[in-house]
Amino acid sequence: MNVRQMAHIALMGAILYAVFQAFSNILYLEMITFTILCFAHAFTRKEVVVSCILFACIQILLNGLTLWNVAYLLIFPLYGWIFSKSRDLLKNHLWANALLSGFFSFLTGQLVDLPFLLFSKTVTMLYMLMGLKTSLIQGCLTFIVTLFLWEPVTHALKRIQHERIQ
């Protein structure tokens, strides 16, 4: 990995952190899954996964070592890998990408509750049930955001990638 690629990954990780923080105070609007999906369609799998790891590390460093932040370290790099693997299959399918981002946005809300199994199955089930409504709304909003923003954002990112290569 050269310095240019490391700087690019660092910028992507910082963007992911900024997106996460910018939308974390807006109830139900989770934009990081959408951003990772857009990155996966424009940049290499390695860049996307490493930038997701970097984002999670920044999140842990700046906001503390919590179960949720550790869950982000596992969840978002996995999303980056899955989205990158599905890139060729879903390249020109807006609705499929919207469903994918909506589903994984919903899934994020459910997966971050799983580490509470370390404490109690009952507590985990309560967290998951109480968060189900929030996760459903979050997934639906991400689906809608993807329908409206997918094409302009991926077009801009692909243009950036094309200019970076030249």
Side-chain angles (χ1 to χ4, degrees):
M1 193 178 323
N2 61 28
V3 174
R4 187 177 188 164
Q5 191 175 27
M6 286 190 296
H8 183 71
I9 290 169
L11 181 61
M12 289 170 59
I15 289 170
L16 288 172
Y17 182 77
V19 165
F20 183 82
Q21 290 302 315
F23 290 96
S24 66
N25 292 325
I26 303 173
L27 189 60
Y28 304 124
L29 192 54
E30 183 266 332
M31 293 292 290
I32 192 161
T33 304
F34 168 76
T35 307
I36 293 170
L37 181 67
C38 291
F39 280 176
H41 278 266
F43 305 117
T44 67
R45 181 175 307 126
K46 181 179 180 180
E47 290 172 332
V48 174
V49 171
V50 173
S51 68
C52 290
I53 292 169
L54 179 61
F55 152 74
C57 290
I58 294 169
Q59 178 72 14
I60 289 170
L61 284 172
L62 296 178
N63 297 308
L65 187 63
T66 65
L67 287 176
W68 281 23
N69 289 337
V70 172
Y72 296 150
L73 186 59
L74 300 171
I75 293 169
F76 292 130
L78 179 63
Y79 283 11
W81 185 82
I82 291 169
F83 294 161
S84 294
K85 287 294 271 187
S86 66
R87 170 182 36 216
D88 294 334
L89 182 66
L90 302 174
K91 192 183 306 185
N92 297 316
H93 297 83
L94 173 64
W95 285 88
N97 281 303
L99 286 170
L100 187 69
S101 67
F103 173 73
F104 278 96
S105 180
F106 162 79
L107 199 57
T108 300
Q110 297 301 297
L111 290 176
V112 295
D113 292 335
L114 286 180
F116 289 100
L117 280 172
L118 297 172
F119 301 110
S120 164
K121 288 181 183 179
T122 307
V123 169
T124 304
M125 292 309 293
L126 285 173
Y127 262 101
M128 291 181 85
L129 287 174
M130 289 178 5
L132 190 60
K133 175 188 72 102
T134 303
S135 296
L136 283 170
I137 295 170
Q138 181 174 296
C140 290
L141 283 177
T142 304
F143 171 80
I144 292 167
V145 164
T146 305
L147 287 178
F148 286 102
L149 296 179
W150 169 256
E151 289 174 345
V153 171
T154 54
H155 177 72
L157 290 174
K158 286 177 184 177
R159 204 168 68 205
I160 290 168
Q161 175 69 349
H162 180 71
E163 290 174 7
R164 186 178 75 120
I165 293 173
Q166 291 181 352

